[in-house]
Amino acid sequence: MWLLKQDVSPWLAKSGYVVVVKPLRVLAIILVAMLIRWLLHRAISRLASSTSRASMPALLRPLKERNDVTAEEALFIPERRRQRAEAIGSVLRSFVSAVVFTMATLLILGEFGFNLGPLLASAGIVGVALGFGAQSLVKDLIAGLFMLLEDQYGVGDTVDLGEATGVVESVGLRITTVRDARGVLWYIRNGEIVRVGNKSQGWAMVVIDIPIGFVSSEEAIAVLRIAAESVATEPEHQTEFLEPPEVIGVEQLTVDGAVIRTIAKTTADSQVVIQRDLRRALTESLETSGLSERIAASRLLPRSAVPPAWLGGGENSSPSPADPQRPGGAT
């Protein structure tokens, strides 16, 4: 407008608008988009970095916050929160960048005179087509995002995902990799994970059942209780027991005698070691106390010294048909 008011030709005025004004407006759109992107990225980074502190923002808290956190587990929570916050922050920053630059591109195309109506309609049709064709991909991404928000599992956790059970090696928005006990690396799509059994979160319970035959259950319980307490007082295991082990008594009765159950609440990482050492100590206590021989002897079926006559145990082994002791005999 300023050039039109001056004493110049209309062609020169329009050329000046195209050459000077439009590039400046395009540059302004780009600068504003970059500023908005920088501000949003900074806010996301500050929000993610604050998760390692004691007061975690509500946005990044797991949707189901766990309150039964032990002292040992609390030492690893900041690092676990940091890793999860970095993953969530990376996803949010990528999403913000895509949205901001898409809007900036549309505004720049509008400045050059492009009709955005057909373009937006075409983009909507393409988006619907991609949505129908990539349903599994969208399902995997959404499941991976909620998995991160809920903190279901992380790298290093021992998990049971159904067919695959092992240690998590990497976690992504679409794929989770698990290496099982045989060394096989499983690639599992997040959208196909129906249930997750995490063996590394919180505490674990050790349950050991020991058959004692038909010996005195009170005597066996006393021996097993002393052995369990000795394991709990060992220096290398004192910090691994969250509660003292307990011999709860007779769990069941079988044809071979009674079964005594011993339980112990331990940390998740030390469950296997505690179970192995506790089972060894309980077995050795039965041997040193002499109960093992008595247990083995009590399992032998008692034999009758003199079987009944109708079973062929005496001289007159063939009872008469009228013998009342014979099964089915006359009465």
Side-chain angles (χ1 to χ4, degrees), residues 41-52:
H41 278 205
R42 180 178 175 83
I44 293 172
S45 299
R46 289 174 61 89
L47 187 63
S49 63
S50 62
T51 58
S52 60

Side-chain angles (χ1 to χ4, degrees), residues 20-41:
V20 178
V21 178
K22 278 189 176 295
L24 290 178
R25 297 183 65 173
V26 171
L27 182 61
I29 292 174
I30 295 175
L31 292 177
V32 171
M34 294 181 65
L35 178 62
I36 294 175
R37 174 180 175 272
W38 179 80
L39 292 175
L40 292 176
H41 278 205

Side-chain angles (χ1 to χ4, degrees), residues 100-119:
V100 171
F101 285 128
T102 299
M103 296 181 62
T105 302
L106 293 177
L107 292 176
I108 291 173
L109 291 177
E111 289 294 329
F112 285 104
F114 287 92
N115 189 3
L116 299 181
L119 182 62

Side-chain angles (χ1 to χ4, degrees), residues 63 170 242 313-314:
L63 298 184
S170 65
L242 302 181

Side-chain angles (χ1 to χ4, degrees), residues 1 10 44 52 78 82 178 255 266 291 310:
M1 296 297 297
I44 293 172
S52 60
R82 185 189 63 80
V178 176
V255 293
T266 68
L291 288 177
W310 58 271

Side-chain angles (χ1 to χ4, degrees), residues 75-118:
L75 298 176
F76 302 97
I77 286 181
E79 180 64 20
R80 187 179 182 89
R81 284 180 180 175
R82 185 189 63 80
Q83 295 177 357
R84 184 168 57 90
E86 288 180 355
I88 298 175
S90 177
V91 174
L92 293 178
R93 284 191 293 268
S94 300
F95 177 76
V96 165
S97 298
V99 172
V100 171
F101 285 128
T102 299
M103 296 181 62
T105 302
L106 293 177
L107 292 176
I108 291 173
L109 291 177
E111 289 294 329
F112 285 104
F114 287 92
N115 189 3
L116 299 181

